[in-house]
Amino acid sequence: MNKNSVVAKKKFGQNFLKDEAVLRKIIEAMPKNDNKIVEIGPGLGDLTRFLVDVKSVEAFEVDTDLCKLLQSTFKKEIDTKRLHINCGDVLQAWQSSLIDEPYDLVANLPYYIATNIILKALADPMCKNILVMVQLEVAEKFCATAGEKVFGSLSVITQSIADAHIVVQVPPTAFEPPPKIDSAVFLIRKNADRNNENFEGLLRVAFKQPRKTLMKNLSVMYKKDLLQVAFLELNLTPTIRPHQVSTQDYHQLYKKII
Ligand code: SAM
């Protein structure tokens, strides 16, 4: 098999990034540091080719056909230890840390598990920065600020330990085969290791029914009189909706009601 005879497999979310200008933008946006690079889903190796020029790379690819192809394409880089390829499902390989040294995740992610991968990377203390291509809608959720309609638990989880912004929006024509939706590359720069799990539990309850009031959602789990005092102290009106409360106020609320 060679690169040109590969047929993209839908079940693995294979949309190969062909636009060289976008590949260069990803490289330019990489944080400057000594961390190793982890690439999830190197695919045909188009992004990998740029990455190994800059740093050493630990890659995870589930598709055994692509794994074999990558092993022959990158024989020299593998021999010189510039690249190491793990063949298999990254989610199965992922214990509390994916590798045992500080790393930045740089990848064009398989969209069907992109949110799950980003949440795992956020909780992984060895992961320091995340620069990934995902569905535009998903990138917007991670980067939203309080008050925006799409501001939700993903935004609060991210912004509690990092700052996040969209680097570039990418149209379907940049890929082969083109996906049906727009994509975006976004960057998360972590400034703390991970969130408290109980805090994430509060967020799940807070955003369970996004159109209802925050008070209504939280009273399923927490005592109403405790909530009323906390809301009053934080100047939150009883009718406020979950997306209208800032990350900082969620932390204050957590301190007062847990
Ligand atoms: N990086 C390549 C590019 O930019 O052209 C390919 C990106 S493609 C959107 C996603 C890649 O992730 C595919 O190569 C796919 O086989 C791989 N993949 C899908 N699920 C995976 C998993 N669970 N573990 C590791 N790799 C996975």
Side-chain angles (χ1 to χ4, degrees), residues 9 11-18 23 26 39-48 59-64 66 70 86-92 106-113 117 133 174-176:
K9 297 186 180 101
K11 66 171 177 176
F12 289 142
Q14 291 176 355
N15 298 96
F16 302 112
L17 178 58
K18 290 293 162 199
L23 286 163
I26 295 175
E39 186 187 11
I40 294 175
L44 298 173
D46 292 286
L47 177 58
T48 321
F60 294 81
E61 175 55 64
V62 74
D63 184 338
T64 42
L66 292 186
L70 289 161
N86 302 272
C87 299
D89 182 347
V90 71
L91 294 177
Q92 282 189 10
V106 183
N108 170 20
L109 290 177
Y111 291 0
Y112 73 109
I113 45 169
I117 288 175
M133 172 99 73
F175 302 86
E176 186 50 49

Side-chain angles (χ1 to χ4, degrees), residues 203-235:
L203 294 177
R204 269 191 292 278
V205 181
F207 285 95
K208 185 119 198 216
Q209 303 209 55
R211 312 249 168 278
K212 295 230 163 111
T213 64
L214 178 62
M215 178 69 88
K216 185 140 194 135
N217 283 343
L218 289 178
S219 46
V220 171
M221 188 85 143
Y222 307 97
K223 287 209 177 84
K224 193 112 189 231
D225 50 351
L226 195 66
L227 289 172
Q228 280 165 339
V229 174
F231 271 52
L232 207 62
E233 286 174 359
L234 293 172
N235 276 328

Side-chain angles (χ1 to χ4, degrees), residues 150-161:
V150 292
F151 185 75
S153 55
L154 294 179
S155 331
V156 182
I157 288 173
T158 306
Q159 287 150 41
S160 297
I161 56 166

Side-chain angles (χ1 to χ4, degrees), residues 141-152:
K141 282 188 186 160
F142 279 96
C143 298
T145 49
E148 289 180 48
K149 270 247 158 62
V150 292
F151 185 75

